[in-house]
Amino acid sequence: MEYNIHLNMRKINKFEKQLKLSQASVLSYVDMDPELLKEKDSWYLINSKVTFFKPRKDVRIAGECISRAYAQALGNAVANYSVIELDGKVGLASENFQDRHNFEYYDFCQLYQLFPSFPKRYNYFTLKELLQTFGYHYDEETTLSLQQAIIDRYIYEWFTHQLDGNPRNTNLQKNKSNGVLELGPVYDKEQSFGVSENGLFDERKLEMWVPSIPYEDLTFRDNPYQIDGLDANIFSLLVDYPEMTIESLEKIFKVDYKTILNTFTSGENSFSLPSETLGYLQGVVERKEHEKEKLLQSI
């Protein structure tokens, strides 16, 4: 079965021949690894704002927009994505959310710059290691705040079943004036609800937070991401951080998911969900609720 949405071209703003920014220009606005910028160089000046544009097929447009709606409902700061047509190509545009005057930014591939104990390698630390490391560098209040934020973000990615929650699309921001570290906004969550970039349903793939899995002190069976069919990281979080994890699980299931999904059926957005796709998305959430109950019963 293939994922499907209906684009509403009347709701999509069209732009022609916008100024494309050079890599040097982008680096004066955005705190980004220059090597990564070589892969993501589609930056433009649109309406006088530095904006990243990525042409996308239907599936990734829907994934990003629905994920953003969920993140906002949970009180997260989010990248301001919109669907536009630029030079004849439809895709996602996001204004630069970084404030380099007040903050330093580190994606999770750059954590070795904050925590020297981490190796300079992609996908080489676990979620458990990260949560413990906060306690070695910060006071108790800051540590607990960071731990809760990271647990919340992980639960959010599990709930929305992200297939591409990699270390480059999650970051931390450090206040330059007082050194306070906090989790950055939600961005780049296109492959959501178990739908691959090819538009195929693939709930079993579950390549979320690859560097965070598995916890090294647990014995895994056939699937390194699961224990008896349950998410391995959440199982471990319930063992190590039960109060924060239960709070996070309860919070995300208090969000009225049907109301969120129904906003994409009204025809007032840049796309709408046909009934079969809407039914699939509702089914994913209902299965997550069933998994949550099994997780809570396991402790």
Side-chain angles (χ1 to χ4, degrees):
M1 180 177 181
E2 291 191 13
Y3 193 87
N4 186 30
I5 68 172
H6 299 146
L7 284 175
N8 186 350
M9 298 304 295
R10 293 175 298 173
K11 298 288 183 179
I12 297 176
N13 290 328
K14 296 179 174 58
F15 297 90
E16 300 291 340
K17 301 185 184 301
Q18 299 299 301
L19 175 64
K20 186 173 182 179
L21 299 177
S22 67
Q23 291 189 21
S25 296
V26 174
L27 288 174
S28 66
Y29 294 99
V30 182
D31 202 343
M32 180 184 291
D33 183 342
E35 290 301 313
L36 178 59
L37 185 57
K38 292 178 182 179
E39 304 171 16
K40 300 181 179 291
D41 65 348
S42 299
W43 289 84
Y44 295 82
L45 199 62
I46 301 178
N47 291 335
S48 301
K49 295 180 179 179
V50 176
T51 302
F52 182 59
F53 175 71
K54 41 192 180 183
R56 287 294 183 257
K57 294 181 179 179
D58 295 358
V59 54
R60 300 180 84 167
I61 290 173
E64 189 70 67
C65 293
I66 298 172
S67 293
R68 179 175 179 270
Y70 268 103
Q72 283 184 305
L74 291 166
N76 289 279
V78 297
N80 186 27
Y81 283 98
S82 59
V83 184
I84 70 169
E85 182 179 320
L86 178 59
D87 293 338
K89 296 179 180 179
V90 174
L92 291 161
S94 56
E95 299 172 7
N96 173 33
F97 61 79
Q98 292 189 358
D99 175 8
R100 293 192 64 183
H101 179 72
N102 294 309
F103 295 94
E104 297 172 356
Y105 294 88
Y106 304 86
D107 69 35
F108 276 30
C109 290
Q110 299 169 306
L111 289 183
Y112 64 88
Q113 297 176 22
L114 288 169
F115 311 121
S117 62
F118 285 171
K120 297 182 181 180
R121 286 183 58 184
Y122 183 78
N123 291 4
Y124 200 67
F125 56 88
T126 67
L127 177 57
K128 183 173 185 176
E129 181 182 5
L130 175 61
L131 293 170
Q132 290 177 333
T133 297
F134 291 146
Y136 304 145
H137 292 267
Y138 301 101
D139 59 46
E140 182 178 7
E141 182 180 355
T142 303
T143 296
L144 290 174
S145 177
L146 284 167
Q147 288 175 336
Q148 184 69 72
I150 296 297
I151 291 172
D152 284 352
R153 184 64 56 86
Y154 183 81
I155 298 295
Y156 158 79
E157 296 206 354
W158 163 80
F159 176 84
T160 55
H161 203 97
Q162 301 292 330
L163 298 184
D164 192 29
N166 66 64
R168 292 197 188 277
N169 59 26
T170 305
N171 73 8
L172 294 162
Q173 56 189 43
K174 186 176 182 180
N175 191 301
K176 290 183 178 180
S177 63
N178 57 21
V180 171
L181 188 70
E182 60 185 11
L183 188 62
V186 176
Y187 65 96
D188 202 6
K189 305 301 179 188
E190 301 172 3
Q191 296 185 58
S192 306
F193 299 97
V195 183
S196 72
E197 61 183 331
N198 296 320
L200 300 175
F201 298 139
D202 188 9
E203 279 197 80
R204 295 169 297 175
K205 191 176 180 183
L206 202 58
E207 292 180 358
M208 302 182 302
W209 286 54
V210 174
S212 311
I213 304 172
Y215 266 45
E216 295 176 336
D217 59 347
L218 290 172
T219 300
F220 291 84
R221 298 175 184 173
D222 296 334
N223 188 334
Y225 303 139
Q226 296 183 339
I227 299 173
D228 290 340
L230 303 177
D231 184 272
N233 265 355
I234 299 180
F235 183 92
S236 301
L237 288 171
L238 284 167
V239 172
D240 295 333
Y241 305 92
E243 292 183 4
M244 287 190 282
T245 305
I246 290 171
E247 178 183 334
S248 181
L249 282 168
E250 290 179 344
K251 180 167 61 177
I252 201 164
F253 281 98
K254 286 179 181 176
V255 174
D256 186 350
Y257 74 91
K258 289 186 178 180
T259 296
I260 289 178
L261 294 178
N262 285 338
T263 62
F264 298 100
T265 63
S266 65
E268 295 302 314
N269 299 286
S270 53
F271 67 89
S272 59
L273 300 171
S275 58
E276 66 272 16
T277 301
L278 182 66
Y280 168 79
L281 295 174
Q282 291 176 339
V284 172
V285 175
E286 289 166 0
R287 285 189 289 276
K288 291 294 182 185
E289 186 162 19
H290 179 67
E291 184 177 354
K292 180 201 75 170
E293 295 304 321
K294 291 180 67 176
L295 282 161
L296 293 177
Q297 291 170 9
S298 70
I299 60 172

Short mmCIF file of all heavy atoms in Angstrom, two decimals, residues 201-222:
data_model
loop_
_atom_site.label_atom_id
_atom_site.label_comp_id
_atom_site.label_asym_id
_atom_site.label_seq_id
_atom_site.Cartn_x
_atom_site.Cartn_y
_atom_site.Cartn_z
N PHE A 201 4.51 2.06 3.51
CA PHE A 201 4.36 1.83 4.93
C PHE A 201 5.40 0.81 5.39
O PHE A 201 5.49 -0.29 4.85
CB PHE A 201 2.94 1.32 5.23
CG PHE A 201 1.87 2.29 4.86
CD1 PHE A 201 0.70 1.86 4.27
CD2 PHE A 201 2.02 3.64 5.11
CE1 PHE A 201 -0.31 2.74 3.94
CE2 PHE A 201 1.02 4.55 4.80
CZ PHE A 201 -0.15 4.10 4.20
N ASP A 202 6.16 1.16 6.39
CA ASP A 202 7.25 0.30 6.85
C ASP A 202 7.40 0.46 8.36
O ASP A 202 8.39 0.95 8.85
CB ASP A 202 8.55 0.69 6.14
CG ASP A 202 9.67 -0.30 6.43
OD1 ASP A 202 9.39 -1.34 7.02
OD2 ASP A 202 10.82 0.00 6.06
N GLU A 203 6.39 0.05 9.09
CA GLU A 203 6.41 0.24 10.54
C GLU A 203 7.55 -0.51 11.22
O GLU A 203 7.98 -0.12 12.29
CB GLU A 203 5.09 -0.21 11.14
CG GLU A 203 3.99 0.81 11.00
CD GLU A 203 2.86 0.49 11.94
OE1 GLU A 203 3.00 0.81 13.13
OE2 GLU A 203 1.86 -0.07 11.49
N ARG A 204 8.04 -1.56 10.63
CA ARG A 204 9.05 -2.36 11.31
C ARG A 204 10.45 -1.76 11.23
O ARG A 204 11.33 -2.14 11.96
CB ARG A 204 9.07 -3.76 10.70
CG ARG A 204 7.80 -4.55 10.93
CD ARG A 204 7.78 -5.81 10.10
NE ARG A 204 7.80 -5.50 8.68
CZ ARG A 204 7.89 -6.40 7.72
NH1 ARG A 204 8.00 -7.67 8.04
NH2 ARG A 204 7.89 -6.04 6.46
N LYS A 205 10.66 -0.81 10.33
CA LYS A 205 12.00 -0.28 10.10
C LYS A 205 12.56 0.40 11.34
O LYS A 205 13.65 0.08 11.81
CB LYS A 205 11.96 0.70 8.92
CG LYS A 205 13.34 1.11 8.43
CD LYS A 205 13.19 2.02 7.20
CE LYS A 205 14.54 2.45 6.69
NZ LYS A 205 14.42 3.38 5.55
N LEU A 206 11.85 1.37 11.86
CA LEU A 206 12.14 2.00 13.14
C LEU A 206 13.61 2.37 13.34
O LEU A 206 14.25 1.97 14.29
CB LEU A 206 11.68 1.09 14.28
CG LEU A 206 11.43 1.78 15.63
CD1 LEU A 206 10.38 2.86 15.47
CD2 LEU A 206 11.00 0.78 16.68
N GLU A 207 14.17 3.16 12.43
CA GLU A 207 15.57 3.57 12.56
C GLU A 207 15.67 4.90 13.29
O GLU A 207 16.30 5.84 12.84
CB GLU A 207 16.21 3.66 11.17
CG GLU A 207 16.36 2.31 10.52
CD GLU A 207 17.01 2.39 9.15
OE1 GLU A 207 17.32 3.51 8.70
OE2 GLU A 207 17.21 1.33 8.53
N MET A 208 15.00 4.99 14.44
CA MET A 208 15.03 6.23 15.21
C MET A 208 16.26 6.27 16.09
O MET A 208 16.65 5.27 16.69
CB MET A 208 13.80 6.33 16.10
CG MET A 208 12.48 6.28 15.37
SD MET A 208 11.11 6.46 16.54
CE MET A 208 11.40 5.10 17.64
N TRP A 209 16.86 7.43 16.20
CA TRP A 209 17.95 7.67 17.14
C TRP A 209 18.95 6.52 17.11
O TRP A 209 19.25 5.89 18.11
CB TRP A 209 17.39 7.82 18.56
CG TRP A 209 16.70 9.12 18.78
CD1 TRP A 209 15.69 9.65 18.03
CD2 TRP A 209 16.98 10.08 19.79
NE1 TRP A 209 15.31 10.87 18.51
CE2 TRP A 209 16.08 11.17 19.60
CE3 TRP A 209 17.88 10.15 20.85
CZ2 TRP A 209 16.07 12.29 20.42
CZ3 TRP A 209 17.86 11.25 21.67
CH2 TRP A 209 16.97 12.31 21.45
N VAL A 210 19.46 6.28 15.93
CA VAL A 210 20.35 5.13 15.74
C VAL A 210 21.49 5.10 16.75
O VAL A 210 21.81 4.06 17.29
CB VAL A 210 20.88 5.10 14.29
CG1 VAL A 210 21.91 4.00 14.12
CG2 VAL A 210 19.72 4.89 13.32
N PRO A 211 22.13 6.25 17.07
CA PRO A 211 23.25 6.17 18.02
C PRO A 211 22.81 5.87 19.44
O PRO A 211 23.63 5.60 20.30
CB PRO A 211 23.87 7.57 17.95
CG PRO A 211 22.74 8.44 17.58
CD PRO A 211 21.91 7.63 16.63
N SER A 212 21.52 5.95 19.69
CA SER A 212 21.02 5.78 21.05
C SER A 212 20.68 4.33 21.38
O SER A 212 20.38 4.00 22.51
CB SER A 212 19.76 6.61 21.24
OG SER A 212 19.95 7.92 20.80
N ILE A 213 20.69 3.48 20.37
CA ILE A 213 20.22 2.12 20.55
C ILE A 213 21.34 1.16 20.15
O ILE A 213 21.99 1.35 19.14
CB ILE A 213 18.99 1.85 19.67
CG1 ILE A 213 17.90 2.88 19.98
CG2 ILE A 213 18.46 0.45 19.88
CD1 ILE A 213 16.72 2.82 19.03
N PRO A 214 21.59 0.09 20.85
CA PRO A 214 20.86 -0.33 22.04
C PRO A 214 21.53 0.13 23.34
O PRO A 214 22.67 0.57 23.32
CB PRO A 214 20.95 -1.85 21.95
CG PRO A 214 22.31 -2.08 21.36
CD PRO A 214 22.52 -0.95 20.39
N TYR A 215 20.82 0.02 24.41
CA TYR A 215 21.46 0.15 25.72
C TYR A 215 22.43 -1.02 25.83
O TYR A 215 22.08 -2.16 25.59
CB TYR A 215 20.40 0.04 26.81
CG TYR A 215 19.85 1.36 27.28
CD1 TYR A 215 19.48 2.35 26.38
CD2 TYR A 215 19.71 1.62 28.63
CE1 TYR A 215 18.97 3.55 26.82
CE2 TYR A 215 19.20 2.82 29.07
CZ TYR A 215 18.83 3.78 28.17
OH TYR A 215 18.34 4.98 28.62
N GLU A 216 23.62 -0.74 26.25
CA GLU A 216 24.66 -1.77 26.19
C GLU A 216 24.52 -2.82 27.30
O GLU A 216 25.12 -3.89 27.21
CB GLU A 216 26.03 -1.12 26.26
CG GLU A 216 26.33 -0.24 25.05
CD GLU A 216 27.65 0.49 25.17
OE1 GLU A 216 28.12 0.70 26.30
OE2 GLU A 216 28.21 0.86 24.12
N ASP A 217 23.75 -2.52 28.35
CA ASP A 217 23.69 -3.45 29.46
C ASP A 217 22.47 -4.37 29.40
O ASP A 217 22.13 -5.03 30.37
CB ASP A 217 23.69 -2.69 30.79
CG ASP A 217 22.51 -1.73 30.90
OD1 ASP A 217 21.86 -1.47 29.88
OD2 ASP A 217 22.25 -1.24 32.02
N LEU A 218 21.81 -4.42 28.25
CA LEU A 218 20.67 -5.32 28.09
C LEU A 218 20.98 -6.37 27.03
O LEU A 218 21.73 -6.14 26.09
CB LEU A 218 19.43 -4.53 27.67
CG LEU A 218 18.83 -3.61 28.75
CD1 LEU A 218 17.73 -2.76 28.14
CD2 LEU A 218 18.28 -4.42 29.90
N THR A 219 20.40 -7.54 27.20
CA THR A 219 20.56 -8.60 26.21
C THR A 219 19.41 -8.52 25.21
O THR A 219 18.24 -8.63 25.59
CB THR A 219 20.56 -9.98 26.89
OG1 THR A 219 21.63 -10.03 27.81
CG2 THR A 219 20.72 -11.08 25.85
N PHE A 220 19.75 -8.35 23.94
CA PHE A 220 18.72 -8.23 22.91
C PHE A 220 18.59 -9.56 22.18
O PHE A 220 19.52 -10.36 22.12
CB PHE A 220 19.08 -7.11 21.94
CG PHE A 220 18.99 -5.77 22.58
CD1 PHE A 220 20.04 -5.27 23.31
CD2 PHE A 220 17.83 -5.02 22.50
CE1 PHE A 220 19.95 -4.05 23.94
CE2 PHE A 220 17.72 -3.81 23.12
CZ PHE A 220 18.78 -3.31 23.84
N ARG A 221 17.42 -9.71 21.61
CA ARG A 221 17.15 -10.98 20.92
C ARG A 221 17.26 -10.77 19.42
O ARG A 221 18.29 -10.33 18.93
CB ARG A 221 15.79 -11.49 21.38
CG ARG A 221 15.84 -11.76 22.90
CD ARG A 221 14.53 -12.15 23.51
NE ARG A 221 14.70 -12.28 24.96
CZ ARG A 221 13.71 -12.48 25.81
NH1 ARG A 221 12.47 -12.57 25.38
NH2 ARG A 221 13.95 -12.58 27.10
N ASP A 222 16.24 -11.07 18.67
CA ASP A 222 16.35 -11.01 17.22
C ASP A 222 16.52 -9.58 16.70
O ASP A 222 17.21 -9.36 15.72
CB ASP A 222 15.11 -11.64 16.57
CG ASP A 222 15.00 -13.11 16.89
OD1 ASP A 222 16.05 -13.72 17.14
OD2 ASP A 222 13.88 -13.64 16.88
#
